[in-house]
C-alpha cells in the first residue's frame, strides 16, 4: 500500500522574519537615498536638468531663487516642505509604516543632496539625460521594493495604483512633463527637452522593475491539484479554479488548476508546485488586465 505523502507547507511568497524584513527594508531605503542624492549631484547638476517629481520642483525653486533673487535656498528645507501634505495624505490612505519609511527616504535624500559636493561625470547632456534617468529609475525602484517611495508624485502614483489597481507611472510622467514646460520657459527649452528624456528613461526603468501591479496567469496540470491549490491559497492569498479533463496522449484523467497571481510570486509558486508534484506541467502567461476581485498585498 502506498504511503500518503505529507503536504508541503511553505511560508507566504515574499515572507521574511519580522526583524530581517525590516532590516532589509531599511537597507533598501538607505541605498535608494544614496543613489538618488549622488545622481542629483552628478548627472542632474552636470546637465542642469530637472528630474521631475518634487525633487525636480525643489530644484526648480532652488535655481529660480538663485538666478532671479540671488538667494541660496537649502534643498532639504524646500523638499521637506513640499512633501508635508502628500505625506499626510499617504498616512491616511496607504499606511503608517509605508509613510514613515518614505519620510525617511525623503529626509535622507534631502540631507545627502545638501552635503554631497557636485561631481559631474560628463559634459555630454544626452549621456547625462539617459544615464541619469536610469539611475533615477533605479533609486525609485529600490524604494518601491522596500515598500516606500521617494515622496511627492510617487505618493500620488502609489495611491492611484492602490485605489484603482492600475500602473500610474505613465500618468505621473505626463504630469512631470507639464512641470518641465515651466522650467523650459524659465531656463531654456533645451534643458526641459533633455529633462523629458531623463524622465522617460526613469519611467521605463521603474515600469520594468516594479512588479507589484503586474500579473501572471498559471495553468497547472497535475494529479495533486488540492495540495497545489492549498499552497496557492496560503502563500499568495489568491484563489484558483479546478477543471477536470482527459489527457489525450494516454487517455488518463487529469486536473487543470487555473489561477492569476502577482508576477513577483510566480517563481515561488512554480518552485513549490515542482516540490509537490515533480511531474506537473505549468504554463505561465502574462496578464494585461483583470476584471473582478484581485487580492493586493498591503504596503505596510
Amino acid at each position: 500500500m502506498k504511503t500518503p505523502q505529507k503536504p508541503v507547507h511553505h511560508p507566504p511568497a515574499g515572507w521574511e522574519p519580522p526583524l530581517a524584513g525590516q532590516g532589509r527594508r531599511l537597507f533598501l531605503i538607505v541605498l535608494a537615498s544614496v543613489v538618488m542624492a549622488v545622481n542629483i549631484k552628478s548627472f542632474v547638476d552636470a546637465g542642469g536638468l530637472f528630474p521631475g517629481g518634487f525633487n525636480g520642483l525643489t530644484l526648480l525653486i532652488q535655481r529660480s531663487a538663485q538666478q532671479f533673487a540671488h538667494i541660496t535656498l537649502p534643498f532639504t528645507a524646500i523638499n521637506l516642505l513640499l512633501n508635508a501634505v502628500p505625506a499626510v495624505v499617504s498616512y491616511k490612505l496607504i499606511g503608517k509604516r509605508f509613510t514613515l519609511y518614505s519620510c525617511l527616504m525623503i529626509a535622507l535624500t534631502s540631507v545627502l543632496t545638501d552635503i554631497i559636493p557636485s561631481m559631474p561625470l560628463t559634459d555630454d547632456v544626452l549621456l547625462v539625460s539617459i544615464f541619469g534617468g536610469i539611475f533615477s529609475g533605479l533609486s525609485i525602484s529600490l524604494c518601491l521594493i522596500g515598500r516606500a517611495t521617494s515622496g511627492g508624485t510617487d505618493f500620488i502614483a502609489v495611491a492611484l495604483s492602490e485605489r484603482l489597481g492600475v500602473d500610474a507611472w505613465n500618468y505621473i510622467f505626463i504630469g512631470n512633463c507639464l512641470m518641465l514646460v515651466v522650467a523650459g520657459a524659465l531656463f531654456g527649452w533645451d534643458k526641459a527637452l533633455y529633462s523629458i528624456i531623463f524622465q522617460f528613461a526613469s519611467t521605463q526603468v521603474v515600469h520594468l522593475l516594479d512588479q507589484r501591479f503586474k500579473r501572471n496567469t498559471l495553468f497547472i496540470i497535475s494529479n495533486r491539484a488540492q495540495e497545489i491549490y492549498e499552497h496557492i491559497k496560503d502563500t499568495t492569498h489568491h484563489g484558483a479554479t479546478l477543471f477536470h479533463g482527459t489527457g489525450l496522449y494516454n487517455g488518463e484523467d487529469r486536473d487543470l488548476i487555473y489561477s492569476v497571481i502577482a508576477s513577483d510570486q510566480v517563481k515561488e509558486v512554480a518552485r513549490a508546485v515542482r516540490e509537490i508534484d515533480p511531474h506537473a506541467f505549468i504554463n505561465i502567461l502574462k496578464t494585461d488586465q483583470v476584471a473582478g476581485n484581485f487580492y493586493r498585498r498591503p504596503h505596510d
Side-chain angles (χ1 to χ4, degrees):
M1 183 175 179
K2 190 176 181 180
T3 304
Q5 298 185 30
K6 294 182 179 179
V8 180
H9 296 287
H10 297 273
W15 181 88
E16 294 173 309
L19 291 179
Q22 297 304 320
R24 174 178 176 273
R25 196 173 182 180
L26 182 61
F27 171 77
L28 287 171
I29 290 167
V30 172
L31 178 60
S33 64
V34 172
V35 172
M36 183 166 287
V38 170
N39 188 42
I40 291 174
K41 301 302 287 188
S42 55
F43 290 107
V44 174
D45 280 354
L49 304 178
F50 299 92
F54 279 20
N55 284 335
L57 184 57
T58 299
L59 289 173
L60 178 60
I61 295 172
Q62 202 177 31
R63 292 171 185 173
S64 297
Q66 180 67 42
Q67 179 164 327
F68 300 111
H70 305 291
I71 300 173
T72 302
L73 298 177
F75 186 95
T76 301
I78 303 171
N79 202 32
L80 293 181
L81 184 62
L82 289 175
N83 279 283
V85 173
V88 173
V89 174
S90 172
Y91 188 90
K92 294 181 178 180
L93 295 182
I94 303 175
K96 178 175 68 175
R97 282 181 293 182
F98 173 85
T99 304
L100 292 177
Y101 277 110
S102 299
C103 289
L104 174 63
M105 168 68 183
I106 295 166
L108 281 176
T109 301
S110 300
V111 172
L112 289 173
T113 301
D114 275 333
I115 65 177
I116 293 176
S118 295
M119 42 184 179
L121 300 179
T122 176
D123 294 330
D124 190 315
V125 184
L126 182 58
L127 289 177
V128 166
S129 302
I130 295 173
F131 285 95
I134 291 173
F135 281 106
S136 175
L138 175 62
S139 64
I140 294 172
S141 298
L142 287 171
C143 261
L144 295 173
I145 294 171
R147 302 198 305 280
T149 74
S150 58
T153 53
D154 290 352
F155 278 137
I156 300 171
V158 173
L160 286 175
S161 298
E162 183 80 9
R163 294 292 170 175
L164 303 178
V166 298
D167 187 342
W169 295 108
N170 287 330
Y171 300 105
I172 298 302
F173 170 66
I174 294 173
N176 287 332
C177 290
L178 295 177
M179 186 271 290
L180 292 175
V181 171
V182 178
L186 294 176
F187 296 96
W189 293 107
D190 58 335
K191 303 298 183 185
L193 294 174
Y194 277 119
S195 294
I196 291 177
I197 297 175
F198 177 100
Q199 273 300 301
F200 180 79
S202 177
T203 302
Q204 295 310 305
V205 171
V206 173
H207 187 74
L208 176 67
L209 298 180
D210 183 18
Q211 298 291 316
R212 293 170 310 143
F213 298 101
K214 296 179 181 179
R215 305 173 180 92
N216 284 84
T217 297
L218 301 180
F219 291 98
I220 305 169
I221 299 176
S222 171
N223 290 328
R224 301 178 64 181
Q226 188 61 38
E227 292 176 54
I228 292 173
Y229 164 67
E230 292 295 335
H231 171 79
I232 293 174
K233 180 186 68 174
D234 293 341
T235 61
T236 70
H237 302 288
H238 295 299
T241 300
L242 179 64
F243 296 91
H244 300 288
T246 302
L248 296 180
Y249 181 75
N250 52 22
E252 293 182 355
D253 292 338
R254 304 301 299 269
D255 291 331
L256 185 147
I257 306 160
Y258 164 84
S259 184
V260 181
I261 65 175
S263 295
D264 57 357
Q265 298 170 328
V266 169
K267 289 184 179 180
E268 172 68 19
V269 171
R271 181 184 65 82
V273 170
R274 287 298 185 194
E275 291 183 13
I276 296 170
D277 182 3
H279 301 291
F281 181 85
I282 308 171
N283 187 15
I284 303 170
L285 304 176
K286 292 183 178 180
T287 301
D288 292 331
Q289 293 182 339
V290 172
N293 293 329
F294 185 83
Y295 173 80
R296 289 189 294 271
R297 286 174 293 175
H299 286 86
D300 275 1

